[in-house]
Amino acid sequence: MSYLSRRAKEKEMRKAGRLPDGQSLTEKFPVLTYGPTPSFEPASWDLRVFGAVEQPRRWTWHEFTQLPRGELTCDIHCVTRWSKFDTRWEGVFFRDFLRELRLTDAARYVIAHCDYGYTTNLPLAAMDDDDVMLAVKYEGRWLHEPDLIEHGGPLRTLVPKRYFWKSAKFLRALEFSPVDKPGFWEQGGYHNDGDPFQEQRMRRRRW
Ligand SMILES: Nc1nc2c(c(=O)[nH]1)N[C@H]1C(S)=C(S)[C@@H](COP(=O)(O)O)O[C@H]1N2
Ligand SMILES: [Mo]
């Protein structure tokens, strides 16, 4: 895409209210991972759910792929100031996934746990939204394919209303917690909520 058409598209998105302040449009798909990309072993991979649930649960890869999936087209906004529009994903909608579980009344926060220890946190109320997904495919192809795996294969969360660091790649467990547990970047000084349209980038300092 030429410079001029990128700028034209950017202007159009700004006018449409889809480009948050401080962001610019990219046609590329930058990879941002702290640390290495884990390898995917379908035979030993699992997704666990624990914490404020009646019963901890575990899905093998085969079992997870049997869950009903849907499609979602959304915009993504990275705190490093790029936004990408109309990205197309396929996966299990979080609201459908919640129906597989029995949460206890104590569940208030969802902590995503990833391979190699990356974590990120959101209120259950933010995750319980119609555009939140556990994604397994991007633009029609499995995230665990070799050229896509860096984007979170085989499974990542997608939370389009928050900066992209809240979309956990290489997801291995979801913890339902009565208390908030700031994740990797949140402990590192990023904002706890991360709404791109309010430019909630860094935690405000108190001094
Ligand atoms: N497991 C894991 N998930 C992660 C990260 C990470 O380092 N590890 N980085 C986050 C950040 S800061 C961003 S911007 C997005 C980047 O996703 P992408 O590499 O598909 O663009 O993933 C988020 N999820
Ligand atoms: Mo990021």
Side-chain angles (χ1 to χ4, degrees):
M1 168 169 254
S2 76
Y3 174 77
L4 273 178
S5 59
R6 193 192 69 81
R7 289 303 296 241
K9 186 122 184 268
E10 190 174 273
K11 224 169 131 183
E12 183 191 314
M13 289 298 164
R14 175 118 28 221
K15 231 172 100 187
R18 288 171 64 183
L19 185 70
D21 288 346
Q23 298 291 112
S24 57
L25 178 146
T26 185
E27 294 285 336
K28 303 188 192 110
F29 195 176
V31 172
L32 283 117
T33 310
Y34 187 84
T37 296
S39 61
F40 170 49
E41 310 288 348
S44 57
W45 185 94
D46 61 2
L47 177 72
R48 290 182 310 116
V49 166
F50 65 98
V53 285
E54 299 288 349
Q55 194 80 62
R57 294 279 304 272
R58 175 181 178 268
W59 286 260
T60 64
W61 176 245
H62 178 73
E63 288 164 349
F64 191 81
T65 58
Q66 303 304 299
L67 295 174
R69 295 199 294 267
E71 288 187 357
L72 173 71
T73 299
C74 65
D75 302 339
I76 55 191
H77 309 289
C78 177
V79 74
T80 62
R81 299 185 181 275
W82 54 266
S83 293
K84 188 171 173 64
F85 292 89
D86 298 312
T87 61
R88 197 163 55 85
W89 305 83
E90 183 181 316
V92 179
F93 279 107
F94 195 73
R95 282 194 169 159
D96 294 336
F97 188 71
L98 284 176
R99 274 192 277 264
E100 304 283 324
L101 311 173
R102 285 182 35 220
L103 305 184
T104 70
D105 291 342
R108 289 285 179 282
Y109 297 90
V110 183
I111 319 301
H113 294 263
C114 308
D115 270 325
Y116 294 134
Y118 184 93
T119 58
T120 187
N121 57 306
L122 278 171
L124 176 57
M127 292 292 286
D128 186 5
D129 202 341
D130 58 11
D131 61 355
V132 173
M133 178 179 263
L134 304 178
V136 292
K137 289 189 185 183
Y138 172 72
E139 301 293 347
R141 291 171 49 237
W142 292 98
L143 279 177
H144 59 74
E145 289 182 29
D147 61 319
L148 282 179
I149 194 158
E150 297 171 307
H151 291 294
L155 180 67
R156 79 177 298 165
T157 63
L158 258 193
V159 190
K161 290 192 180 79
R162 305 299 171 114
Y163 281 122
F164 209 29
W165 87 76
K166 295 278 189 186
S167 293
K169 304 195 286 188
F170 322 117
L171 183 73
R172 293 299 301 279
L174 291 163
E175 175 185 1
F176 291 84
S177 174
V179 296
D180 201 5
K181 297 185 180 179
F184 177 81
W185 285 118
E186 291 84 359
Q187 287 179 47
Y190 283 23
H191 199 283
N192 202 45
D193 300 315
D195 176 352
F197 286 93
Q198 297 184 55
E199 280 206 79
Q200 293 175 332
R201 298 173 187 276
M202 308 304 284
R203 191 166 56 214
R204 243 199 299 278
R205 291 175 201 279
R206 286 184 226 290
W207 58 84

